[in-house]
Amino acid sequence: MSDKKRIKVTINGKEYEHDVVPRLLLVDYLRDYAGLLGTHYGCDTTSCGACTVIIDGRSAKSCTRFTVQVDGRELLTVEGLARDGELHALQQAFREEHALQCGFCTSGMLMSAYDLLSKNRQPSEAEIKRGIAGNLCRCTGYLSIVAAVRNAAQKMQSKDSPS
Amino acid sequence: MSATEKRPRLVGTPIPRKEDADILLGQARYTQDMSLPGMLHAAIWRSPAAHARIRRIDLDRALALPGVVAAYSGRQLHELTYLKPMAPFPFQSRDPFQKGNPTIKFFDHYCLATDKARFVGEPLAVVVATDRYIAEDALDLIEADLDELPPLVDCDPALAPDAPLIYEAWGDNIMLKFRVSGGDVDQAFRDADVIVKEEIHSGRFTGTPIETRAVVANFEAAIRNLTVWDTTQISHPMSTLIENTIALPDLKVRVLAPRVGGGYGQKWSFYPEEVLIPLLAILTRRPVKWVETRREHMVGTIHAREQTHRIEAAVRKDGKILGIKDYILANIGAAYPTGGLASIITTGMFVAGAYKIENYAGEVTGVVTNKTPYGAHRGFGKSEACFVIERMIDIIAERLHMDPPDVRLKNFIPPDEFPYVSVTGPRYDSGQYGRALNRAMELADYPKWRAEQARLRGEGRYLGVGTCLVVEPSSSTRMGSYNAGYYSVRMRMDPNGKVAVFPSGSDEGQGHATSISQLVADELDLSFDDIMVLEGDSLACPYGSGSYSSRFSVVGTTAATMAARQLKEKILNIASVWLQKPSALLELADGAVFVRDNPEVRVSLKEVARTAYFSIFRLPEGMEPGLEIIYHYRDPNIEFHADERGRVAMFSSFPYDAEVAVVEVNTANGTLKLLKFVSVHDCGNMLNPLIVRGQHLGALAHGFGGALYEELPYDENGQPLATSFKDYFLPTALEMPELTLDHLITPNPFTPGGFKGAGETGTVGPPAVLANAVEDALRPLGVKVRKVPLSPFYVWSLIQDANKQT
Amino acid sequence: MYPRSFEYTVAKSVDEACALLAQHGDNARVLAGGQSLIPLMKLRLASPNYIIDIGNIAGLDGITEHGGELRIGALATHSAVLDHQTVRQRWPLIADAVGVIADPQVRNWGTVGGALAEADPAGDWGAVAMALNARVRCLSPRGERFIDAESLFVDAYTTKLAGDELIVEVIFPAPRQARAGAYLKLERRAGDFAVISVGVQLALSERDVCEDARIALAAAGLTPILARRANEFLTGMQLNATAIDEAAQLVAASSEPLADIRGSEPYKRSAAAELFRDALDLARKRSHGEEALAGHVR
């Protein structure tokens, strides 16, 4: 049995502190300790991306990170996208474009799209496809997700532009 | 809006879904999210061998690990007198059609194997611990003696007279034999100008929803209530199946499907874990949770599609197909109760495809091997049949020096012959096959690509054009099975005029809540947001057969519509007492009932509802209190009873898809460049075009997966070679080609809404049309495409083989 | 899916990490980005008792160019390399390769040093380093040493590194002709392991006479492979159709791919030759100053 480690992490602006065993995967910490169930398990080989979150401003597959590695870091999960009850532009766009069916890959897709748009405000279709290439979906065939990310980029641009 | 105007109609509009907000906020709850106080976690020890006698499984070291609460092997569980063999889903009996055709052999499977392991991944033992990490550590500590036996991987060796037996009591390795015929196939073959004989394979393929399976069970011992949260498409049948398998007196089972992350048929089955986990809850007296890892999913959740067709077509020299004989071998894997048998029977029924072929004899043999069990998968046997017939059309065209679209057009069921009773019994409801194919070819600019093909051949380049038209029968009913031929909906308007709907199906992402809300909103002129839908709860919802076969669009929508109409009738009858006018003169709109010609004379819907519940003295004579209806809708276009030739109408609606694909093949590495892909889809009327388009695109992507990327190979020891997403190539966004989509609308003539199924058709076409395109491209080299996926390695190998023969 | 237990320490310096490695021997593994190690641990194919986290050690993630020589710190992530202006502009072979490693999430956290030390037969960084004649700077309790990429890889998943030694930097010498390079990977689908990968770095004079050629392959054997005979053959050759054909055959012959579900040995050789042609063509175009994009090949 390994010694537990004390970790402190900020998730969606809120501080969490727990003692965890080193082998606890971040995805399990988020779900079982922080109570944030929006991040999902979909595979065992870092392939599907259903577990994607943002760590210190960069998207990461939380199934391929030990909780101890995020000590002192800032995380954003799908639960942190909406502000004051208002859906984020990405969430609105996903709904408008029917970019989700069963919804299981959706939180991961949103976080990857969020990461993409934070670095590239007007991505092309090819860049969007590359941006979500680490996220697998079986329901939608991806094209509606690409449309949703474009839609969200436009929404975010017009919010920023002077009126 | 004036006091008499109705709201705009929602049916037929692309309204965004009401399911989405929860999912987008990360608040939707899937089975893996369920948690109960004191919950334990199960990990399953699965067979590492494809075929072995179980001598000994020793759990002592596993049990000694701190945190482990219990561990069991199959033999230990077998000592429980109330544990029965797993019920033979989807059938209710061993002679489902009651005609001795099909003949089926069954095996008494228990939730953990007792005598032999029969496929890699078969559950043999289980550990229950305080967390899953510890349970997995305990699996490392299990010791077992398995005497390996010779494994059977392919059908032909399994059928050899000296083959090892997988189920000794059977005497052979044949689980199912089914024959179906119509017309006079022998005469057709005598009349033929040309006989075309081929062997065509449909490869092993599976659905891989992004959500793996999960089961959480809680047992209230004092009252014998067992609650099971399960990623299942069939909550009600599952509750019955579990009750029939865990035969504790007074056991009452409730199965709930929380939000389900994709089904595609993978979750339409009866799995050992669906007995095992509830049993563990009973034995440990604590809630127990099991979440399938992806590797478990790749070996322990059903596969599909693996068939070999030895098919002969009797053809007239003008291209008319006079008859077909098809000898079908399906590689069933191990003989678990999965719905695979129903699937392969279905293949035998639909080899004629979209064509008026009036003479047919099909024989289906389901062969057991040491592979993962074969089950239901999007397309359900018809995808295999379509693949074969669509390949045959192109092969026949080549023999007759005709263009494949012309052979199709010559043989299509003519539009004026619908409803058309096909040679094996199903009554095809409606269709415009010629029009759809011509439209697809027009959108593809077919002549331009033929010209381009000729030009590029001159440069030593290989471009090919493929076409197909696939019919994907939907909404199935099967005598003697859980697909019982009806769909029930309970609908309640509460005292405030809001409506709750309890359908008897289930939702894995199809948007039923939105679709039903659109229907009910239109029928009762309510706000879309005042309608709540609850599905997948075997206690709360009326008994039903669940979701499969794209049936919701056909029978689910109709049941909801008819229930709403009955509710409306009751509302108007109550209002007629209030308003002292016959109900025929009354209108229901925007929260009120009023006299059509004198709208001032009105009563609010709320008042009517309150009357029904709280002022029953105001109800018409003989009327029951409340505003709650249950409606059972029988599938209108099916036949229950097969005849002596095996003919029966098992599916009621017939969506279809015409496709054209243009590819260029790189002969040095076998890669394909997809230059054009057109799909013209017809699913009748569209309840929500946004949802239909999503199904169309998603199913096509799924079809591309099976056509180009996905396969489940086994080595000669029966070891599966694709057990993760690192070796099972589910396409990413970067694999999605540019698509040209269109649709026709040929309504379903049998239902009020005119909708057909929409969820599966797209999966069926791509393997056929792309195989046709690649063979067309490589025709100068003499290449014959006999299977999918068209991996670069397979295409390259075909070219090498063809070169060797020249 | 669930790794076995281990003890965990955060190393604050390279010295500390090396000392811990020396102390714990074969039972210890270093954790940088974790994008290679953690997947192995989840499948229980690797179960070290002791993990030394070096991911926070400062000063190991720089990307700098001095006098044409590119230095990449071992903890630089694939993403950081891909996004770096200098790399994008002057090292297209690197940019091409890093762009097809795994996916965005994995690229955000996987490190160059981690990938090199992992020595996955299908790993791209090894072939990149070989094609660009790179060397790695390593530190151990015995001090610093340099190992040429050409001799770094000993076997599948095995480098020349001692058990207590860490890569701290990869050094790419200034190429004879900047920008004249390309890297392509044939995959079954985006993000997958390579069926085969080829990197080509050229120096072309007038009339496309090849003054220097370095061709390296990944997923072509147990280690990345330098296609020496092809390199020698092309040096001094004009790049005409005959020369390219011959070179392609030599590239195919120099690879020793393993048969698996992605293809047989003859297939992979044929695919290697074809991929080489495409990479050569890209490198040649870029040497002429043309903008030419690589992409996913499948």
Side-chain angles (χ1 to χ4, degrees), chain B residues 419-576:
Chain B
Y420 172 82
V421 180
S422 91
V423 64
T424 53
R427 192 160 46 226
Y428 285 45
D429 56 1
S430 66
Q432 302 179 70
Y433 300 155
R435 187 169 163 218
L437 183 61
N438 283 324
R439 176 82 183 128
M441 290 171 63
E442 182 193 4
L443 286 169
D445 198 352
Y446 187 86
K448 164 189 134 180
W449 290 108
R450 282 288 178 217
E452 184 70 356
Q453 177 181 54
R455 184 181 77 78
L456 289 175
R457 277 202 181 138
E459 290 176 18
R461 287 168 64 178
Y462 299 92
L463 181 139
V465 188
T467 53
C468 77
L469 191 139
V470 293
V471 181
E472 170 47 36
S474 68
S475 193
S476 80
T477 293
R478 208 169 291 265
M479 182 161 142
S481 82
Y482 284 93
N483 295 7
Y486 62 94
Y487 192 110
S488 307
V489 169
R490 188 157 60 82
M491 192 173 294
R492 176 204 307 146
M493 178 174 284
D494 74 7
N496 288 325
K498 296 186 203 290
V499 170
V501 186
F502 303 86
S504 62
S506 69
D507 186 316
E508 296 77 41
Q510 304 93 309
H512 291 171
T514 295
S515 303
I516 288 177
S517 300
Q518 287 173 260
L519 285 164
V520 175
D522 281 2
E523 291 291 331
L524 302 176
D525 205 47
L526 293 174
S527 158
F528 179 72
D529 296 317
D530 276 342
I531 300 157
M532 189 183 90
V533 180
L534 177 72
E535 235 178 335
D537 182 339
S538 74
L539 192 62
C541 303
Y543 199 97
S545 23
S547 247
Y548 51 88
S549 195
S550 311
R551 64 196 290 256
F552 172 78
S553 293
V554 183
V555 289
T557 57
T558 308
T561 302
M562 302 312 287
R565 288 182 187 175
Q566 276 197 358
L567 202 55
K568 180 174 178 177
E569 196 185 311
K570 189 164 185 181
I571 289 167
L572 293 181
N573 286 338
I574 296 171
S576 89

Side-chain angles (χ1 to χ4, degrees), chain A residues 23 28 44 101-102 138 142, chain B residues 30 133 137 207 294 710 731:
Chain A
R23 69 167 168 171
D28 284 321
D44 341 307
Q101 292 180 28
C102 83
R138 183 54 122 182
Y142 301 105
Chain B
Y30 297 83
Y133 288 71
D137 291 343
R294 182 57 63 180
E710 299 174 42

Side-chain angles (χ1 to χ4, degrees), chain B residues 277-296:
Chain B
I277 305 305
L279 193 59
L280 292 171
I282 292 170
L283 291 169
T284 62
R285 292 293 202 263
R286 287 171 67 170
V288 177
K289 178 179 196 174
W290 168 75
V291 178
E292 189 184 43
T293 66
R294 182 57 63 180
R295 183 177 194 276
E296 289 185 286

Side-chain angles (χ1 to χ4, degrees), chain B residues 132-133 136-138 140 291-294 666-672 708-711 713 721-722 725-732 734-735 789-793 796-797 800, chain C residues 1-5 39 42-44 47 102-103 186-193 195 260-275 277-278 296-298:
Chain B
R132 182 63 182 263
Y133 288 71
E136 292 284 329
D137 291 343
D140 281 348
V291 178
E292 189 184 43
T293 66
R294 182 57 63 180
N666 179 326
T667 52
N669 59 20
T671 57
L672 305 177
L708 301 174
Y709 304 102
E710 299 174 42
E711 60 184 326
L721 298 175
F725 283 149
K726 283 263 173 281
D727 22 53
Y728 187 78
F729 307 116
L730 196 62
T732 70
L734 283 167
E735 275 70 54
L790 300 160
S791 68
F793 176 42
W796 180 85
S797 303
Q800 306 312 302
Chain C
M1 181 81 131
Y2 301 95
R4 295 197 178 96
S5 289
K42 284 164 65 179
L43 294 172
R44 300 196 168 200
S47 297
D103 57 54
L186 178 64
E187 312 169 280
R188 284 291 279 121
R189 66 117 201 250
D192 185 33
F193 293 129
V195 177
D260 62 18
I261 56 170
R262 291 171 182 79
S264 65
E265 203 193 305
Y267 170 69
K268 291 187 179 187
R269 285 182 198 271
S270 179
E274 181 69 6
L275 205 62
R277 287 174 192 281
D278 288 339
H296 289 268
V297 181
R298 63 220 170 284

